[in-house]
Amino acid sequence: MSVTIYHNNACSNSRGALALIREAGIEPVIIEYVQAPPSKAVLKELVAKAGLTARGAMRTKDALYTELGLDDASLSEDQLLEAMVGNPKLINRPFVVTAKGVRLARPPELVKEIL
Protein backbone atom coordinates (compact mmCIF):
# COMPACT_ATOMS: atom_id res chain seq x y z
CA MET A 1 0.00 0.00 0.00
CA SER A 2 1.29 3.44 -0.91
CA VAL A 3 1.03 6.03 1.86
CA THR A 4 2.10 9.67 1.82
CA ILE A 5 2.27 11.80 4.95
CA TYR A 6 2.60 15.58 4.95
CA HIS A 7 4.76 15.64 8.04
CA ASN A 8 6.21 18.08 10.54
CA ASN A 9 8.50 16.36 13.02
CA ALA A 10 7.95 19.18 15.54
CA CYS A 11 4.29 18.11 15.88
CA SER A 12 3.34 15.30 18.26
CA ASN A 13 0.23 14.44 16.19
CA SER A 14 2.37 14.13 13.08
CA ARG A 15 4.95 11.95 14.86
CA GLY A 16 2.12 9.81 16.26
CA ALA A 17 0.51 9.26 12.87
CA LEU A 18 3.89 8.37 11.36
CA ALA A 19 4.48 5.85 14.14
CA LEU A 20 1.05 4.24 13.54
CA ILE A 21 1.75 3.96 9.81
CA ARG A 22 5.08 2.30 10.51
CA GLU A 23 3.50 -0.01 13.12
CA ALA A 24 1.19 -1.18 10.32
CA GLY A 25 4.31 -2.30 8.43
CA ILE A 26 4.26 0.57 5.94
CA GLU A 27 7.12 2.91 5.18
CA PRO A 28 5.39 6.03 3.84
CA VAL A 29 6.57 8.72 1.50
CA ILE A 30 7.32 11.59 3.89
CA ILE A 31 6.84 15.13 2.67
CA GLU A 32 8.32 17.69 5.05
CA TYR A 33 5.72 20.23 3.97
CA VAL A 34 7.18 23.23 5.85
CA GLN A 35 10.34 22.97 3.74
CA ALA A 36 8.54 21.77 0.60
CA PRO A 37 4.95 23.09 0.71
CA PRO A 38 2.38 21.59 -1.63
CA SER A 39 1.14 23.66 -4.52
CA LYS A 40 -2.18 25.43 -4.15
CA ALA A 41 -3.80 22.83 -6.42
CA VAL A 42 -2.45 19.91 -4.38
CA LEU A 43 -3.45 21.54 -1.09
CA LYS A 44 -6.94 22.26 -2.42
CA GLU A 45 -7.27 18.59 -3.41
CA LEU A 46 -6.03 17.35 -0.02
CA VAL A 47 -8.47 19.61 1.82
CA ALA A 48 -11.41 18.58 -0.37
CA LYS A 49 -10.65 14.84 -0.21
CA ALA A 50 -10.37 15.08 3.58
CA GLY A 51 -13.85 16.64 3.66
CA LEU A 52 -12.61 19.92 5.08
CA THR A 53 -12.72 23.60 4.21
CA ALA A 54 -9.54 25.62 3.85
CA ARG A 55 -10.20 27.23 7.24
CA GLY A 56 -10.78 23.78 8.73
CA ALA A 57 -7.33 22.76 7.51
CA MET A 58 -5.59 25.79 9.06
CA ARG A 59 -3.80 26.20 12.35
CA THR A 60 -6.09 28.95 13.61
CA LYS A 61 -4.38 29.17 17.00
CA ASP A 62 -1.02 30.08 15.46
CA ALA A 63 -0.14 33.76 16.05
CA LEU A 64 0.56 34.13 12.33
CA TYR A 65 -3.11 33.40 11.60
CA THR A 66 -4.17 36.53 13.45
CA GLU A 67 -1.19 38.61 12.32
CA LEU A 68 -2.11 37.99 8.68
CA GLY A 69 -5.77 38.84 9.31
CA LEU A 70 -6.89 35.35 8.35
CA ASP A 71 -9.63 35.47 10.98
CA ASP A 72 -11.57 37.70 8.54
CA ALA A 73 -14.69 35.66 7.69
CA SER A 74 -14.97 37.34 4.28
CA LEU A 75 -11.79 35.68 2.96
CA SER A 76 -12.40 33.16 0.19
CA GLU A 77 -11.23 29.55 0.07
CA ASP A 78 -8.65 30.57 -2.54
CA GLN A 79 -7.30 33.37 -0.36
CA LEU A 80 -6.95 30.99 2.59
CA LEU A 81 -5.25 28.35 0.44
CA GLU A 82 -2.82 30.96 -0.89
CA ALA A 83 -2.02 32.02 2.67
CA MET A 84 -1.25 28.41 3.64
CA VAL A 85 0.97 27.82 0.60
CA GLY A 86 2.84 31.05 1.33
CA ASN A 87 3.07 30.25 5.05
CA PRO A 88 3.08 26.43 5.26
CA LYS A 89 3.34 26.35 9.04
CA LEU A 90 -0.34 27.40 8.94
CA ILE A 91 -1.27 24.04 7.39
CA ASN A 92 -2.69 21.73 10.03
CA ARG A 93 -0.99 18.37 10.18
CA PRO A 94 -0.56 15.66 9.35
CA PHE A 95 -2.41 15.03 6.14
CA VAL A 96 -2.14 11.35 5.19
CA VAL A 97 -2.96 10.04 1.72
CA THR A 98 -3.66 6.41 0.80
CA ALA A 99 -5.69 4.65 -1.89
CA LYS A 100 -8.53 4.56 0.67
CA GLY A 101 -8.66 8.35 1.10
CA VAL A 102 -7.18 11.40 2.77
CA ARG A 103 -7.32 12.25 6.46
CA LEU A 104 -6.14 15.07 8.61
CA ALA A 105 -4.89 12.70 11.30
CA ARG A 106 -5.82 14.73 14.37
CA PRO A 107 -5.87 12.72 16.55
CA PRO A 108 -3.27 10.40 15.01
CA GLU A 109 -5.54 7.35 15.38
CA LEU A 110 -7.67 8.67 12.48
CA VAL A 111 -4.96 7.39 10.16
CA LYS A 112 -6.14 3.84 10.90
CA GLU A 113 -9.36 4.54 8.95
CA ILE A 114 -7.41 4.69 5.68
CA LEU A 115 -4.71 2.06 6.22
Side-chain angles (χ1 to χ4, degrees):
M1 170 182 277
S2 174
V3 176
T4 300
I5 182 170
Y6 288 82
H7 181 62
N8 181 339
N9 200 49
C11 173
S12 62
N13 284 312
S14 197
R15 290 190 311 269
L18 179 58
L20 289 170
I21 294 165
R22 286 178 169 159
E23 286 172 15
I26 301 165
E27 185 54 40
V29 172
I30 300 171
I31 298 174
E32 298 279 349
Y33 72 90
V34 174
Q35 291 81 21
S39 68
K40 182 179 169 185
V42 168
L43 183 58
K44 184 176 185 175
E45 183 178 350
L46 289 171
V47 169
K49 286 185 174 181
L52 300 170
T53 63
R55 193 172 306 279
M58 291 185 99
R59 294 179 45 80
T60 58
K61 294 180 182 172
D62 193 293
L64 187 58
Y65 177 82
T66 305
E67 289 170 22
L68 294 175
L70 299 173
D71 51 352
D72 180 345
S74 70
L75 293 174
S76 69
E77 286 284 301
D78 277 347
Q79 289 171 309
L80 295 173
L81 289 167
E82 287 171 13
M84 286 189 280
V85 171
N87 302 279
K89 73 179 211 166
L90 288 172
I91 301 171
N92 221 335
R93 68 262 182 168
F95 274 96
V96 179
V97 181
T98 75
K100 294 182 179 180
V102 177
R103 292 289 182 280
L104 176 58
R106 294 182 70 82
E109 291 75 22
L110 290 177
V111 76
K112 294 177 181 179
E113 295 175 359
I114 57 171
L115 293 180

